[in-house]
Every structure is written in C-alpha cells, then in structure tokens.
Amino acid sequence: MDMKYSTGKGFNLALLILVFFFLAACGVKAPVKPPLPHLPKAPGGLAMHQAGPYFLVSWTIPKTNEDGSPLQDLQGFDVYKTRYELASDCPECNESNEVFRHLDLEYLQQASRDGNTLFFRDFDLKPDVGYRYKVTPFNRTGRQGESAAAQKAFLVSPPPPENFRARNEKGSITLDWSPSPAEKPKPNFLGYNIYRQVAGTPAPRKPINEDYWADNVFTDGTVENGKTYTYTLRSVWRLDDLIIESGDSAPVTLGLPEND
C-alpha cells in the first residue's frame, strides 16, 4: 500500500469532520429581520348620537399600540363613512374605502378636541337611512392601526320645545319653556336636555343636567357674575330603540352684571 496516499486521504477526512463540527457548533444564522412596527390601537368609545339634523360622532384617543407598548407617534385619524339601507343585515359589506375626513392632530380641522376625546358633527344625512363610521388611527410614518366602527339609523327628528325664555334670579338663571304639541302624553318622550355656552367658548357637547329633565322650569345656580350665557334646549325621545334628541330650540342669551 502507498503510505503517502493513505496518509493524505486520512488527513482530508479528518479535515472534513472538523469543518462539520465547527459549523454545527456555530449554527447557521438566518438573515436579520427588521422589528415589527408598532401600530396604534383602535380608538375607544366610538359613539354616534343624533341631535336633531346631525350625528355627533365621538371617540377617545388611544394611548397604546396594538402590542401594548406606549403610543408615542400618533399623527391622526382617517374617518370612513358608509351609507346603507336599514333593511340590510350587513352594513359593513359595502364599506367605503374613500376617506370622509382626514384628521391630523397637529393641524386639527373638521373636528374638535375635548381633552382625550375627538368629535365632529355630520349634517350631510337623510332620514330613514343607516350610516356607518369607521375610524382608523395612523402614526407619523402613515401606517394605519386597528379600526373602530359604529352604525346607526338616522331618523326624522322630533320638534324642539317652544317659547324658551331666561331670566336673572340674583345669582342664578331660571329657564322656562312650553312643550311642543308632540311631546305629551307620548310614552316615548323621555324629557329635556339643557345646553349652556359661555361667550367665547365652543358649542357644548354635553348638557348641564345629569338626568333627563322632566319639568318645564330649570334653575342654573352655577353661573358667575360678569359672564354671558347662551342656552339651547332639546327634547329627548326613544324611537325605534334609539335615543335621539330634537333639534335646538331658539337660543336665549343673558348677560349677568359684574355685581348683582
């Protein structure tokens, strides 16, 4: 046997075994993948409230991403609006892909902000038609996160109360009015909501009464001298399992003197 040939063959085999164990020990690394992006969580509390001729659409701004990490790069929201027939059992089936409102939190238009709540009023509606709103957050890179959606029928609104008046009662303002002919004794009439706006502030989103007001007289004891207040009044109804408000009454404005 040729000892030179045998020695060379053994050397090559040993080298191959050594290379195999080296690779097995180190492992074969896969290509490095970029981390998954943090996408905003869906907005909370999306609600639609009919007040006379419009829907008040509101939601709360999310504070975390979908993965639970803090949301630090939220830029705004895209709102999508879909109209559907009330007889439809799938309002989302033909959901619109066209942005109805593009809301940038740094240059907020077409919506208002109250603390952690965003809201807008939509007047472009027709009675006895269903509407669906989908709100989708997006971050500074333009990536969209989880969406929230709500839908509701828009109904013919009942008439507002009549003969709305205000008078100064030395440190308080007393309001009184007449019910509209449609109100009583209808079982679906729930009461009234009273709205107050201080001069120079945005239109109010919530009434000053905590529960539906049943009487035709209301005294506001939380006013301050030297300020001017404007009040509007709405009746509240339950129609087709929906709670809706009438349109606004004629507003009344009363300024209080500095010293009363």
Side-chain angles (χ1 to χ4, degrees):
M1 174 181 286
D2 188 342
M3 294 297 297
K4 182 178 180 181
Y5 172 78
S6 177
T7 302
K9 184 176 180 181
F11 175 80
N12 290 337
L13 180 59
L15 181 61
L16 288 174
I17 293 173
L18 181 62
V19 170
F20 172 80
F21 279 105
F22 177 81
L23 290 177
C26 294
V28 178
K29 296 183 179 179
V32 178
K33 294 182 179 180
L36 295 175
H38 299 299
L39 301 180
K41 191 176 180 180
L46 179 60
M48 301 163 57
H49 175 68
Q50 182 178 346
Y54 64 84
F55 271 136
L56 177 68
V57 183
S58 62
W59 64 93
T60 56
I61 299 173
K63 296 182 179 180
T64 60
N65 291 300
E66 296 175 5
D67 60 3
S69 61
L71 177 52
Q72 299 176 335
D73 62 347
L74 181 66
Q75 189 66 39
F77 300 86
D78 282 330
V79 181
Y80 303 84
K81 174 184 174 182
T82 302
R83 174 178 169 174
Y84 65 92
E85 299 298 326
L86 294 182
S88 172
D89 58 355
C90 184
E92 69 276 12
C93 290
N94 296 312
E95 197 165 61
S96 174
N97 292 320
E98 181 178 351
V99 175
F100 172 61
R101 296 197 178 188
H102 181 75
L103 306 177
D104 191 310
L105 292 176
E106 294 183 4
Y107 309 96
L108 192 59
Q109 298 177 338
Q110 297 185 316
S112 299
R113 182 169 182 171
D114 181 9
N116 200 41
T117 299
L118 289 182
F119 62 94
F120 65 85
R121 294 173 173 87
D122 185 7
F123 288 84
D124 187 16
L125 306 165
K126 292 185 178 181
D128 299 320
V129 173
Y131 291 90
R132 176 179 170 86
Y133 297 90
K134 184 175 75 171
V135 180
T136 305
F138 59 88
N139 59 23
R140 294 188 189 127
T141 66
R143 287 180 171 270
Q144 293 187 330
E146 293 179 327
S147 300
Q151 66 236 7
K152 187 176 288 188
F154 184 77
L155 305 177
V156 176
S157 62
E162 302 173 348
N163 304 318
F164 191 35
R165 301 177 300 178
R167 62 181 183 272
N168 183 1
E169 293 282 357
K170 292 186 178 181
S172 63
I173 294 177
T174 296
L175 310 167
D176 64 83
W177 59 90
S178 301
S180 70
E183 287 176 17
K184 295 181 178 179
K186 297 293 181 71
N188 53 349
F189 171 70
L190 301 179
Y192 303 96
N193 277 337
I194 301 106
Y195 293 84
R196 183 184 72 186
Q197 182 178 8
V198 182
T201 63
R205 184 169 59 93
K206 297 179 180 180
I208 58 176
N209 52 294
E210 293 184 1
D211 300 316
Y212 302 135
W213 193 253
D215 200 358
N216 296 106
V217 179
F218 179 87
T219 298
D220 183 5
T222 61
V223 294
E224 300 178 22
N225 289 336
K227 291 187 177 181
T228 298
Y229 297 90
T230 297
Y231 295 88
T232 53
L233 181 68
R234 301 173 192 164
S235 57
V236 187
W237 301 72
R238 185 185 298 276
L239 301 176
D240 295 343
D241 295 327
L242 300 175
I243 294 178
I244 69 173
E245 291 182 315
S246 70
D248 289 332
S249 67
V252 295
T253 300
L254 189 62
L256 298 182
E258 290 288 347
N259 296 306
D260 193 1

